[in-house]
Amino acid sequence: MFVVTYRKIFFALSGLFVAFSIGAVAFLGLPLGIDFTGGSILEVSYDEARPEKAVLENRLNQLDIGSYSLLKTGETGYLLRMRETTENELPSILNTLEVEGSTPTQERFSSIGPTIGQELRTKALIAIFTVVLVIILYVAFAFRKVSEPVSSWKYGLIAILALLHDIIIPTGVFAVLAYLTGAEVDILFVMALLAILGYSVNDTIVVFDRVRENLRLNKENKKKEDFVITVGRSLDQTLTRSINTSLTTALVLIALFFIGPPSTRDFAIVLLAGVVAGSYSSIALAAPLLASLERWGKRG
């Protein structure tokens, strides 16, 4: 009942988180990676000491690779993003990255044309909108028989608001991450958003389903109970489950960040932010909004 009773405080916190995330995206931007713009990416590591960045940049400036981005990765590596290059050009680039006493080892190389990048960008947007649409239809179908004291369509509306909350916050976190580390939006970022959508709505549905079950039991037992109390009791009954599920998922993602390969660290951070936001929204946003809508309906 604590969360439902003091729901205005939690609404304010959600508003602050969302405002910060929108501001981060608006002012810092979301740089697109080669998955969506086309280009090549080369990651190298050094057995010995990593050369100074300025030294490598002076050498790369002599090559015909257009504008590029050179970022440190891991303890001994560099990540080079450049125009679309071929396998034939790769040896000369590797030779350029070799300085006295430091020989680079190629960790990965991938090249994507601009046409494929545009196609991937379109498919990523279609995938996200399709998932959101299917989730909305599912919520509307699952709660079609719930009409008192809150209409079934309002459950769907709240689920959509929670989804927006859970997508905006990790996107804002990624905008800050991109600004600090040079990370770029890629396919893994899109996969993280899709996973967050599924995870978030699952948590919300669990709470809503318990509310629906308690409403049914109250009706069968002819028990008159204020809807706010029913929502608070339902939330208390699912709170432990929600927290435990989030903690176990978070532990896996933290392990992936520290133990996994560098290529999945940004993915782990975005997904972790989404898991935290999803857990918060199902507990402190979705259920309290149900209670508020019922109260607003009475006043109307």
Side-chain angles (χ1 to χ4, degrees):
M1 280 297 296
F2 175 82
V3 175
V4 177
T5 303
Y6 297 98
R7 55 188 177 276
K8 291 183 180 180
I9 297 176
F10 293 101
F11 291 163
L13 288 175
S14 292
L16 288 175
F17 295 149
V18 170
F20 170 81
S21 300
I22 293 175
V25 173
F27 289 102
L28 302 180
L30 283 174
L32 296 178
I34 66 167
D35 288 345
F36 302 119
T37 61
S40 297
I41 185 169
L42 171 65
E43 182 177 359
V44 298
S45 62
Y46 292 86
D47 295 332
E48 305 296 333
R50 177 167 51 193
E52 291 295 327
K53 183 179 177 182
V55 174
L56 295 181
E57 287 178 336
N58 287 334
R59 297 171 66 89
L60 288 170
N61 290 337
Q62 301 174 19
L63 295 178
D64 180 24
I65 59 173
S67 60
Y68 64 87
S69 170
L70 184 67
L71 299 172
K72 294 180 180 179
T73 179
E75 297 295 328
T76 62
Y78 277 106
L79 196 65
L80 175 63
R81 292 184 174 92
M82 53 195 160
R83 65 164 175 78
E84 184 184 4
T85 57
T86 64
E87 292 282 353
N88 294 331
E89 296 176 284
L90 187 58
S92 63
I93 297 174
L94 289 172
N95 289 335
T96 302
L97 295 175
E98 181 178 351
V99 297
E100 185 177 353
S102 298
T103 302
T105 300
Q106 178 182 329
E107 299 294 341
R108 64 179 170 125
F109 173 77
S110 59
S111 186
I112 298 177
T115 302
I116 296 177
Q118 174 65 36
E119 183 180 344
L120 287 174
R121 185 162 66 246
T122 303
K123 288 183 176 180
L125 292 174
I126 292 174
I128 291 175
F129 283 117
T130 301
V131 169
V132 172
L133 178 61
V134 171
I135 287 173
I136 293 172
L137 293 175
Y138 169 76
V139 173
F141 175 79
F143 293 90
R144 66 193 183 280
K145 295 182 180 179
V146 180
S147 58
E148 293 292 340
V150 176
S151 301
S152 58
W153 66 268
K154 292 182 180 179
Y155 285 83
L157 175 63
I158 293 173
I160 295 170
L161 292 175
L163 286 177
L164 289 174
H165 173 275
D166 301 340
I167 286 296
I168 290 173
I169 289 178
T171 302
V173 170
F174 188 82
V176 175
L177 179 68
Y179 176 77
L180 296 176
T181 67
E184 295 180 335
V185 174
D186 56 10
I187 290 297
L188 283 178
F189 175 79
V190 176
M191 290 173 61
L193 292 186
L194 292 174
I196 290 168
L197 286 172
Y199 185 92
S200 170
V201 77
N202 176 69
D203 249 7
T204 303
I205 290 298
V206 167
V207 178
F208 284 179
D209 196 56
R210 184 53 61 92
V211 172
R212 178 176 60 177
E213 181 66 15
N214 283 330
L215 286 173
R216 184 186 64 81
L217 291 174
N218 288 345
K219 185 176 181 179
E220 289 179 355
N221 298 327
K222 297 180 180 180
K223 177 182 178 182
K224 291 185 177 180
E225 184 178 58
D226 191 88
F227 184 66
V228 173
I229 296 177
T230 302
V231 172
R233 184 159 56 88
S234 302
L235 187 56
D236 290 342
Q237 291 170 349
T238 57
L239 188 62
T240 301
R241 177 262 179 204
S242 296
I243 293 176
N244 287 341
T245 302
S246 300
L247 282 177
T248 52
T249 306
L251 288 174
V252 172
L253 293 173
I254 291 172
L256 178 63
F257 176 80
F258 286 104
I259 302 175
S263 59
T264 62
R265 287 178 182 171
D266 295 342
F267 170 82
I269 291 176
V270 173
L271 198 50
L272 180 61
V275 167
V276 174
S279 300
Y280 179 88
S281 69
S282 64
I283 295 171
L285 183 62
L289 272 176
L290 267 182
S292 295
L293 284 178
E294 189 265 347
R295 288 292 171 89
W296 296 337
K298 284 184 177 179
R299 292 174 185 173

